[in-house]
Amino acid sequence: MKRTATTFRCLPRLGLDYTELRVVDLDVCENADEAEIHAALTRWFAHRGIADAVYDVAVDNDGPYAIINDEAYAESWGTPLV
């Protein structure tokens, strides 16, 4: 099973004023499905002490992305995209 570091876009669920698009690097299989990505992201946030951050994972033309509950944005994580 080949694992690769992949950058995932994290979008806020509702998009309140204090939220933004952020990216995180995650080590997953290159052919991971949405459930595997969801589990890996949940573990990634849990290791940072942020519970229930991942609302959903989906795929669009640019690849997989995560929808993050806005409450998680109270913590410092990921790299904001400006």
Side-chain angles (χ1 to χ4, degrees):
M1 177 185 318
K2 182 178 179 184
R3 298 180 77 73
T4 181
T6 304
T7 301
F8 289 94
R9 297 169 290 146
C10 296
L11 292 75
R13 181 174 176 201
L14 299 176
L16 302 177
D17 289 340
Y18 58 88
T19 62
E20 73 248 331
L21 173 65
R22 297 183 187 181
V23 295
V24 298
D25 291 325
L26 192 62
D27 187 27
V28 296
C29 298
E30 63 184 47
N31 59 350
D33 64 19
E34 292 172 27
E36 292 168 319
I37 294 169
H38 191 287
L41 277 168
T42 299
R43 283 190 304 274
W44 188 91
F45 278 102
H47 285 198
R48 286 152 183 81
I50 306 170
D52 300 323
V54 183
Y55 177 75
D56 196 12
V57 172
V59 178
D60 65 10
N61 290 337
D62 295 322
Y65 64 92
I67 300 170
I68 306 299
N69 288 315
D70 291 348
E71 296 80 17
Y73 283 86
E75 304 293 332
S76 178
W77 58 268
T79 305
L81 290 182
V82 194

